[in-house]
């Protein structure tokens, strides 16, 4: 593709993502490229990298366009990306909008005025409001200031950086060293993650899913923070474990490996589609101890299973603020009403899952959020409402699991700037043993 054709592809891809309000940007982008197989791998990488950069910079780009009294369209956002974010000259950008060889149509008069006004600007303007500069919604800024204080700028900068590719070695099939060697033989260099004993980290986006190590089930793609959530469960061989919000079974796989495929795991979810998608992953990983269960109104298995699980993991649905490195579109779509609705659902789910924990068992509540309302406040509210549960300090969980879970507080709290992982939270709560 010519540089101009790549620009036009980027504009069209932005339109596709922006028009798919309920679909994640990565899923929309994957479908968009699948429908255009004539776009080669190098061109796909250039176009998608620019899309992700635009999403990360979108609040700042919009501010610049408004400052220039320009319309906000996919084309003007691209103009702002090329000039303000990438530093291209106005003449060079105008030359790309020439309709030649699949390039974008020539600039309209309003777009020419916008381009002239954008020329020479820098992305981080001193006059920019803090919310726009940090790339967060106005309503969310006070909550993030309360959460991070003077570390906020560093934390948001880390969320703007591209995430590495983290893998979890599947100990049912290989040691971490064996998985690393298999990947290296295919040209995928990795290094052990600093906290997870199963983790491997590759920089950038190597073709992991096309590798033998992935096809044979030696590794799974999983952020190190997510691996540490699984470690917090302290799942051991022979135990009965429930992954209450299992989704496509990412953490279920880690639990099965920790249990050496001995014991019983129930992977439960409200979505039959997500549970069905887990089958292929379970089979590839060689997991044979998982039973899938649908959570639906009147589900009899939930009543029968009350008080029967040694461990219950609640990886609760949340705002996903901890995943902004990988899903920059999520911060553009998040509304305050979403937080209110999710916090209410989290309370209901946590209480429902707590009924499954046997006396002396452990309930682990986790999110991929960095917001206090979804994390500490949710746990504190649960402990105030539901008698018989008490927090297990993080130091005790380190001793129980033998995993160097980072942090000094009572709960696991991870961020990109602090730990190099996505943003995660987890609290281990033990149910009192029967008298």
């Amino acid at each position: 593709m010519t540089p101009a054709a790549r620009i036009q592809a980027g504009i069209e891809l932005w339109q596709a993502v922006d028009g798919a309000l309920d679909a994640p940007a990565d899923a929309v982008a994957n479908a968009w490229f699948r429908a255009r197989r004539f776009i080669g791998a190098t061109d796909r990488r250039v176009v998608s990298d620019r899309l992700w950069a635009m999403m990360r910079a979108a609040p700042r780009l919009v501010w610049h366009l408004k400052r220039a009294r320009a319309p906000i369209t996919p084309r003007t956002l691209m103009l702002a990306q090329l000039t303000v974010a990438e530093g291209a000259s106005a003449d060079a950008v105008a030359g790309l909008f020439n309709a030649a060889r699949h390039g974008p149509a020539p600039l309209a008069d309003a777009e020419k005025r916008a381009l002239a006004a954008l020329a020479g600007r820098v992305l981080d303007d001193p006059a920019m409001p803090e919310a726009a500069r940090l790339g967060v919604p106005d309503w969310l800024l006070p909550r993030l200031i309360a959460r991070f204080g003077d570390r906020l700028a560093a934390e948001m900068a880390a969320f703007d950086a591209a995430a590495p590719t983290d893998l979890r070695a599947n100990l049912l099939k290989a040691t971490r060293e064996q998985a690393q060697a298999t990947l290296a033989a295919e040209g995928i260099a990795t290094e052990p993650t600093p906290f997870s004993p199963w983790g491997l980290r590759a920089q950038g986006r190597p073709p992991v899913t096309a590798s033998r190590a992935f096809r044979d089930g030696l590794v799974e793609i999983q952020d190190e923070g997510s691996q540490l959530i699984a470690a917090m469960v302290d799942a051991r061989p022979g135990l009965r474990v429930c992954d209450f919000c299992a989704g496509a079974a990412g953490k279920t796989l880690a639990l099965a490996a920790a249990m050496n495929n001995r014991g019983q795991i129930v992977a439960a979810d409200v979505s039959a589609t997500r549970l069905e998608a887990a089958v292929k992953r379970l089979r590839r990983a060689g997991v044979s101890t998982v039973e899938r269960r649908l959570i639906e109104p009147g589900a009899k298995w939930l009543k029968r299973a009350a008080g029967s699980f040694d461990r219950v993991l609640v990886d609760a649905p949340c705002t996903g603020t901890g995943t902004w490195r990988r899903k920059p579109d999520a911060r553009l779509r998040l509304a305050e009403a979403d937080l209110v609705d999710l916090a209410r659902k989290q309370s209901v789910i946590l209480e429902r899952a707590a009924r499954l924990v046997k006396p002396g068992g452990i309930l682990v509540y986790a999110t991929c959020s960095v917001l206090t309302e979804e994390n500490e406040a949710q746990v504190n509210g649960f402990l105030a409402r539901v008698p018989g549960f008490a927090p297990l300090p993080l130091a005790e969980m380190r001793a129980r699991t033998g995993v160097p879970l980072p942090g000094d507080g009572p709960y696991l709290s991870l961020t990109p700037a602090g730990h190099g992982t996505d943003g995660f939270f987890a609290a281990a709560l033990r149910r009192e043993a029967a008298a």
Side-chain angles (χ1 to χ4, degrees):
M1 297 174 75
T2 65
R6 287 172 172 174
I7 297 300
Q8 178 60 22
I11 293 170
E12 293 177 9
L13 182 52
W14 178 277
Q15 290 172 320
V17 169
D18 193 47
L21 297 179
D22 296 327
D26 55 352
V28 176
N30 288 338
W32 192 88
F33 282 118
R34 279 198 301 272
R36 295 160 178 81
R37 296 190 180 277
F38 57 85
I39 299 179
T42 300
D43 293 317
R44 284 199 302 269
R45 178 62 56 86
V46 172
V47 172
S48 60
D49 283 352
R50 178 170 280 135
L51 172 72
W52 256 246
M54 286 177 67
M55 286 191 291
R56 291 188 177 102
R60 288 170 286 179
L61 299 179
V62 168
W63 182 85
H64 280 287
L65 288 168
K66 289 181 176 178
R67 186 97 161 178
R69 301 181 185 277
I72 312 297
T73 69
R75 282 169 59 91
T76 58
L77 282 166
M78 181 62 75
L79 293 178
Q81 171 65 24
L82 294 171
T83 54
V84 179
E86 298 182 21
S89 70
D91 288 342
V93 172
L96 294 169
F97 283 72
N98 56 17
R101 298 188 65 184
H102 309 291
L107 297 174
D109 288 343
E111 293 172 334
K112 291 177 181 177
R113 290 192 294 271
L115 179 58
L118 293 169
R121 289 175 174 265
V122 293
L123 187 59
D124 292 317
D125 191 299
M128 190 176 291
E130 187 175 17
R133 179 170 53 80
L134 296 177
V136 300
D138 290 334
W139 65 267
L140 191 55
L141 181 59
R143 291 175 166 89
L144 293 173
I145 292 173
R147 170 70 175 83
F148 293 116
D150 58 8
R151 295 185 291 112
L152 178 58
E155 291 289 353
M156 291 302 103
F159 275 118
D160 275 343
T165 299
D166 283 359
L167 310 172
R168 178 184 54 80
N170 177 16
L171 301 190
L172 296 178
K173 291 196 170 185
T175 65
R176 178 161 65 172
E177 292 72 23
Q178 289 169 337
Q180 184 178 29
T182 303
L183 289 164
E186 298 183 80
I188 300 176
T190 61
E191 59 184 21
T193 51
F195 303 113
S196 169
W198 320 305
L200 292 168
R201 177 163 294 161
Q203 296 304 316
R205 290 181 289 168
V208 172
T209 57
S211 70
R212 175 192 160 197
F214 181 83
R215 292 196 309 270
D216 292 350
L218 275 63
V219 294
E220 284 285 338
I221 298 175
Q222 186 178 26
D223 184 82
E224 184 184 21
S226 180
Q227 296 178 39
L228 295 180
I229 298 296
M232 282 278 287
V233 178
D234 189 28
R236 304 179 184 186
L239 296 185
R240 191 161 190 253
V241 178
C242 179
D243 187 354
F244 195 69
C245 302
K251 293 182 180 66
T252 305
L253 293 170
L255 297 174
M259 296 168 67
N260 198 26
N261 232 358
R262 290 158 45 203
Q264 181 192 21
I265 301 177
V266 171
D269 201 88
V270 296
S271 170
T273 302
R274 286 196 292 264
L275 288 176
E276 189 62 31
V279 174
K280 184 177 180 180
R281 298 181 73 185
L282 294 167
R283 187 179 297 121
R284 185 177 65 238
V287 172
S288 59
T289 54
V290 173
E291 174 184 344
R292 291 171 294 125
R293 289 287 188 175
L294 187 63
I295 300 173
E296 56 187 344
K300 294 181 179 179
W301 75 268
L302 280 171
K303 296 180 181 178
R304 292 195 298 266
S308 67
F309 285 95
D310 300 283
R311 306 283 189 271
V312 175
L313 170 62
V314 178
D315 184 14
C318 67
T319 57
T321 50
T323 67
W324 282 351
R325 294 190 305 172
R326 304 176 194 279
K327 301 176 181 178
D329 57 308
R331 73 168 85 182
L332 305 179
R333 300 176 178 184
L334 184 61
E336 190 168 13
D338 297 329
L339 174 59
V340 173
D341 183 54
L342 285 163
R344 183 167 55 247
K345 289 180 180 178
Q346 290 157 2
S347 296
V348 173
I349 292 170
L350 187 51
E351 290 189 23
R352 196 174 190 185
R355 298 173 192 149
L356 301 177
V357 184
K358 71 190 319 184
I362 296 175
L363 170 67
V364 174
Y365 172 78
T367 73
C368 54
S369 170
V370 297
L371 301 181
T372 301
E373 292 93 328
E374 299 184 276
N375 297 336
E376 293 89 348
Q378 199 62 256
V379 172
N380 292 338
F382 169 80
L383 294 173
R385 294 189 309 271
V386 181
F389 283 86
L392 283 169
L394 195 57
E396 182 172 342
M397 295 309 298
R398 279 194 288 267
R400 291 177 67 100
T401 63
V403 175
L405 302 164
D408 299 320
Y411 308 130
L412 183 69
S413 184
L414 306 172
T415 68
H419 309 93
T421 68
D422 284 352
F424 282 99
F425 171 88
L429 312 172
R430 179 164 49 200
R431 187 173 186 180
E432 293 178 357

